[in-house]
Amino acid sequence: KAGVTQTPRYLIKTRGQQVTLSCSPISGHRSVSWYQQTPGQGLQFLFEYFSETQRNKGNFPGRFSGRQFSNSRSEMNVSTLELGDSALYLCASTLWASGDSDTQYFGPGTRLTVL
Amino acid sequence: DQQVKQNSPSLSVQEGRISILNCDYTNSMFDYFLWYKKYPAEGPTFLISISSIKDKNEDGRFTVFLNKSAKHLSLHIVPSQPGDSAVYFCAARYNNNDMRFGAGTRLTVKP
């Protein structure tokens, strides 16, 4: 079974631009969560989607948004990029069936650099 | 707000010895705790978890201990192997809400 895939793997943008990152979960997984990883803050939760609905949201400004499609693929969008948005963005998928609700499978991440 | 803290950014141990990674949390509502391991250029992988109703969970060389009164958990790796060298993240959640992660501890196991 293929793992979680994220595209692109690397991205360079300038301040003020916007960016869209894509995540394809493991086949059959219905929940997708997004995380931001920075050296100083570690992993921080952005939001979670389940069945095309945002179910949970972390403490990030409205510039960060996401969506999930009917095939469970998810995108996250960051508008008006700031230098501090430079980070590794990780996507994780979860089956959300009985007995498997706790294990998240992470993708390799998208490294975003904002200049 | 940093609800989950890993105060040691790095740890170095000799192969065959015990590695102890520590994690503290502030939110008493957390009811499930997890440890993830992350190699460079890869996403974190789930390692071991523990429910708040337990104080110990063991899986092979990995054991997680939970001390609820102290709001502290630790991961023990015995014996440590060079392949265990990675960054370890502690995570906590409650009511299936979003997980909170610590900043990570880089473990180096020397041959």
Side-chain angles (χ1 to χ4, degrees):
Chain A
K1 190 182 272 191
V4 178
T5 58
Q6 290 186 245
T7 57
R9 291 293 310 275
Y10 301 91
L11 204 51
I12 299 176
K13 292 283 187 179
T14 57
R15 278 182 299 174
Q17 287 187 309
Q18 75 164 21
V19 67
T20 299
L21 312 180
S22 180
C23 171
S24 292
I26 293 172
S27 177
H29 284 199
R30 299 167 65 191
S31 166
V32 173
S33 298
W34 287 91
Y35 295 85
Q36 181 195 65
Q37 185 190 0
T38 56
Q41 297 295 322
L43 277 169
Q44 295 188 94
F45 173 74
L46 280 155
F47 27 66
E48 182 206 1
Y49 286 87
F50 179 81
S51 292
E52 302 178 63
T53 301
Q54 188 181 86
R55 182 158 62 177
N56 286 306
K57 190 176 189 304
N59 296 323
F60 276 80
R63 300 186 296 108
F64 293 81
S65 62
R67 59 177 175 169
Q68 187 180 32
F69 302 94
S70 58
N71 61 358
S72 293
R73 190 177 71 84
S74 176
E75 289 181 347
M76 70 161 276
N77 185 278
V78 187
S79 62
T80 320
L81 283 166
E82 300 177 359
L83 294 178
D85 296 333
S86 295
L88 180 68
Y89 289 88
L90 290 161
C91 163
S93 78
T94 307
L95 180 60
W96 281 110
S98 174
D100 196 39
S101 63
D102 308 303
T103 302
Q104 293 192 327
Y105 299 85
F106 283 83
T110 294
R111 171 75 60 187
L112 172 66
T113 302
V114 181
L115 302 176
Chain B
D1 62 346
Q2 201 70 359
Q3 296 187 38
V4 179
K5 296 180 183 179
Q6 292 176 256
N7 293 318
S8 298
S10 63
L11 175 68
S12 181
V13 300
Q14 207 66 34
E15 181 179 6
R17 298 290 186 97
I18 182 172
S19 295
I20 300 177
L21 297 113
N22 293 304
C23 177
D24 297 292
Y25 61 95
T26 58
N27 190 339
S28 58
M29 297 293 290
F30 288 137
D31 58 9
Y32 204 87
F33 304 88
L34 308 93
W35 283 94
Y36 286 82
K37 180 169 72 172
K38 186 180 183 304
Y39 293 116
E42 295 181 13
T45 55
F46 170 75
L47 194 57
I48 192 170
S49 63
I50 187 168
S51 164
S52 61
I53 62 173
K54 295 184 176 181
D55 54 18
K56 177 183 174 181
N57 188 25
E58 192 172 351
D59 183 4
R61 297 184 297 112
F62 302 89
T63 303
V64 56
F65 295 93
L66 175 63
N67 183 334
K68 282 188 294 182
S69 60
K71 295 192 180 68
H72 176 85
L73 68 156
S74 60
L75 174 68
H76 292 212
I77 306 174
V78 183
S80 301
Q81 299 173 353
D84 296 330
S85 297
V87 177
Y88 289 79
F89 290 97
C90 163
R93 70 190 302 171
Y94 61 96
N95 289 340
N96 283 335
N97 285 334
D98 59 275
M99 282 202 291
R100 303 285 179 172
F101 285 82
T105 297
R106 181 176 300 280
L107 173 66
T108 303
V109 181
K110 298 179 179 179

